[in-house]
Amino acid sequence: MDKKTGKILKITLPLLLGVALVWYSLSKISIEELVTYFKNADYTYIGLGLFFGFLSHLSRAYRWKFMIEPMGYTLRLPNSIMAVFATYLVNYTIPRAGEITRATILTNYEGVPFEKGFGTIVAERIADMVVMLGIIAVTLFLEFDFIYQFFAERFDPYKIIIGIIGLLVLATLIFLFIKRSQSKFAIKVRTFLNGLLEGILSIFKMKHKWAFIFHTLFIWAMYVLMFYITTLAIPETSNLPLAAILIGFISASFSIAATNGGIGSYPVAVYAAFSIFAIAKEPSIAFGWIMWSSQTFMIIVLGGLSLIYLPIYNRIK
């Protein structure tokens, strides 16, 4: 496969998957029912969800300053905020193109070399990944009994234990292979993992490391709160147990990487998570669409305004 074909597939496959998942989710609920849920939803909670989402984006923009300053550059907060919203908007068109756009904005308006700006974005993603893994670990710890019972009812517990042991043995063998092998693949994986570790440890070496860590935790706290508050907008999802909130949030978070901005995949991911707790498919899918639509609306409005105002603001300055 040549590079051109690969690039085309990277753009078209997520779009096609998104369209397929939109069709799938709408096959589970009629348009009339979905419209009714939108009409009857409590927009006070939806508005609060938008507010918490907005705070997370502002915190992300402010956190970026801590990574730029050690390189000898000063990032103006308005440019950082507009770059963040522009990133999210562009990601709705081409997956991961937003990160390139964000680094380009930094180069054009703040004079930071592209590779350095892009490196800080990668480091940010590493920090976010660590927090996401932490949320998954906390969920497994808090809801271990529920999760174990859920799988035990569907699978033989002994097979689950054997499977876990098998995975641990396989992981150990893979680790030893990657550590000792001199093959090109193993070297690439080692280089990648060393880079991840270096990126994580670099956070603790920066001047404002505690402020960076605080904002990282704050961003994800706002994400979870945004998800929880919006569930209160629909009566059928307003009394969800903590396990449903956490598992639903994790599932929905991963769905955003599956398609452009989570289009189609977000409602399906929420529906799949909530179905574990015997929540009806109609309100589950409706909540997924309400949650995704409200946040997408904010990104389209603020991202669009950012792209328009960026050159104006910097010409004035």
Side-chain angles (χ1 to χ4, degrees), residues 69-217:
E69 287 174 0
M71 296 188 296
Y73 300 93
T74 300
L75 175 58
R76 287 170 289 177
L77 186 58
N79 274 341
S80 184
I81 293 171
M82 288 186 283
V84 166
F85 281 112
T87 296
Y88 289 130
L89 180 60
V90 173
N91 277 337
Y92 277 86
T93 58
I94 302 174
R96 298 302 154 212
E99 281 70 20
I100 297 173
T101 301
R102 188 175 167 194
T104 303
I105 289 172
L106 191 65
T107 300
N108 291 340
Y109 297 123
E110 298 291 353
V112 180
F114 178 85
E115 63 276 7
K116 290 186 177 181
F118 191 76
T120 62
I121 295 170
V122 173
E124 272 193 352
R125 290 289 178 261
I126 293 172
D128 290 333
M129 182 182 69
V130 170
V131 177
M132 186 63 187
L133 291 174
I135 293 173
I136 294 172
V138 169
T139 301
L140 290 173
F141 176 77
L142 293 177
E143 304 299 337
F144 178 80
D145 291 340
F146 172 83
I147 295 171
Y148 177 80
Q149 184 178 359
F150 173 79
F151 284 102
E153 289 175 354
R154 291 159 177 78
F155 306 98
D156 188 336
Y158 294 105
K159 290 182 179 179
I160 295 175
I161 294 172
I162 292 171
I164 292 172
I165 294 173
L167 287 174
L168 290 174
V169 171
L170 179 62
T172 303
L173 293 174
I174 293 173
F175 172 77
L176 292 173
F177 168 77
I178 292 172
K179 184 178 180 180
R180 298 176 181 178
S181 174
Q182 295 303 314
S183 67
K184 290 183 178 180
F185 172 76
I187 292 171
K188 284 184 178 180
V189 173
R190 276 204 304 272
T191 302
F192 174 74
L193 293 176
N194 287 334
L196 285 180
L197 182 60
E198 185 179 350
I200 295 169
L201 294 177
S202 68
I203 293 171
F204 295 95
K205 297 177 183 178
M206 67 173 61
K207 183 178 179 181
H208 302 288
K209 59 178 176 293
W210 294 115
F212 180 89
I213 293 170
F214 167 79
H215 279 278
T216 301
L217 296 176

